[in-house]
Amino acid sequence: MTAIKYNGLSPGPDGRPHKMQPRWRQDFPIDTPQDNYIARRDFTKFMILTSGAFVVGQLWIALHNHFRKRRGKPPEKAIAAVQDVAVGGAMGFRYPDRQLCMLIRPDQDIFLAYGNKCTHLHCPVRPMFSENKLQCPCHNGYFDLQTGRPLAGPPRLPLPRISLEIRGDVLYATGVELRT
Amino acid sequence: MIRTNFGAGSRPLPRRRRTTIVYGILCFVLTLVIVQLWLLTATMSAYLGGDDSVIWPAAFASLVCLGLNLGLLRYLIALERG
């Protein structure tokens, strides 16, 4: 930015005086330093507006958390009979309301259940018993079959774990464990 | 040239200095906004993972950043009015 002025006008962006500028610029002169000043000032104001939007976002999360706490623990729900799931098999169910979950039986006495939405972009995951993994086919994300923790690919958060109880021959979902 | 009532006496403040001050304010504001962005993403990640212990402290920290930004905005407006 230069302080040299010609006939009260700032020099052009190339630093040459106003008289040496092309005709079109002489006819429609733009005060470049003033233009820069206003652009930066308005951008600063816009960033402060963005700052306010981030606070609104934080309060939105707090509000959602409040309602989540108020809902409390989801009720128990019978999801399947033990014999409905073959060893090395899986079945889907909805818990607590309409959330799609997956019940898997990797061994005779082991039942596991996870939320069936990949923590990356919510594609359904599928078990790969031979590799002891859960795979999200959308972006090749992998989770550990035993823990639901991410192993490879884009997902960074583990799958929500559904706690189970077996009473008699019936499997009950008793809660959802969100994890980081 | 504008006049500002910051500091002792009322001295004209050249545009060049005003632009420098706006650049300085913009640097502070951008730093604070980046901190707020980080706070928001970290809070969202914790919330989705079921950890709600950071929600209110992060909201408070973000509010403090906004307060600082509004203070700088006040200075910016005063700078314009001169």
Side-chain angles (χ1 to χ4, degrees):
Chain A
M1 193 183 310
T2 173
I4 304 164
K5 291 197 172 189
Y6 184 80
N7 285 347
L9 288 168
S10 299
D14 55 5
R16 289 187 303 166
H18 177 69
K19 208 172 182 178
M20 292 173 70
Q21 294 297 325
R23 182 66 191 270
W24 65 269
R25 191 171 277 154
Q26 287 183 35
D27 289 346
F28 300 100
I30 295 170
D31 190 346
T32 309
Q34 180 68 7
D35 188 48
N36 283 341
Y37 167 72
I38 289 171
R40 271 39 166 203
R41 186 195 66 191
D42 285 3
F43 182 61
T44 307
K45 285 180 180 176
F46 180 73
M47 279 294 107
I48 293 168
L49 186 69
T50 309
S51 171
F54 283 146
V55 172
V56 171
Q58 292 279 4
L59 295 176
W60 182 81
I61 294 173
L63 194 71
H64 266 255
N65 186 55
H66 171 73
F67 286 121
R68 185 167 77 177
K69 269 184 165 174
R70 236 173 56 165
R71 277 198 302 271
K73 203 180 162 193
E76 288 184 3
K77 183 180 176 184
I79 52 171
V82 170
Q83 62 271 18
D84 288 347
V85 194
V87 177
M91 65 170 278
F93 65 97
R94 291 188 185 273
Y95 184 78
D97 299 316
R98 300 198 51 76
Q99 301 294 319
L100 196 61
C101 301
M102 178 178 46
L103 174 68
I104 48 182
R105 191 178 187 182
D107 207 344
Q108 179 68 33
D109 302 322
I110 300 174
F111 289 91
L112 300 164
Y114 301 108
N116 197 17
K117 284 195 288 190
C118 176
T119 52
H120 175 224
L121 287 178
H122 287 191
C123 290
V125 294
R126 62 186 185 194
M128 299 170 76
F129 290 102
S130 58
E131 296 180 37
N132 206 29
K133 288 175 183 170
L134 296 161
Q135 188 209 19
C136 171
C138 289
H139 302 99
N140 249 359
Y142 288 93
F143 299 87
D144 183 34
L145 189 90
Q146 302 296 328
T147 63
R149 297 211 167 269
L151 295 173
R156 291 285 174 266
L157 287 171
L159 294 168
R161 188 160 47 199
I162 313 297
S163 40
L164 299 171
E165 252 179 53
I166 303 174
R167 284 184 227 137
D169 272 352
V170 181
L171 279 157
Y172 290 87
T174 57
V176 182
E177 188 192 337
L178 297 169
R179 300 171 293 167
T180 50
Chain B
M1 301 285 249
I2 62 160
R3 289 180 180 278
T4 177
N5 51 10
F6 293 116
S10 184
R11 288 190 306 143
L13 198 60
R15 184 173 59 195
R16 197 171 171 177
R17 266 188 71 191
R18 264 191 302 160
T19 308
T20 309
I21 291 168
V22 169
Y23 268 113
I25 291 173
L26 183 58
C27 285
F28 277 114
V29 169
L30 280 178
T31 308
L32 290 167
V33 167
I34 289 166
V35 168
Q36 283 184 294
L37 176 63
W38 176 79
L39 280 169
L40 186 68
T41 50
T43 310
M44 181 58 91
S45 186
Y47 168 75
L48 291 175
D51 176 15
D52 61 359
S53 61
V54 298
I55 290 175
W56 283 110
F60 179 72
S62 193
L63 204 63
V64 169
C65 290
L66 177 64
L68 290 170
N69 278 336
L70 288 175
L72 290 168
L73 177 67
R74 201 168 147 250
Y75 184 88
L76 194 71
I77 290 168
L79 191 73
E80 278 171 44
R81 287 183 183 159

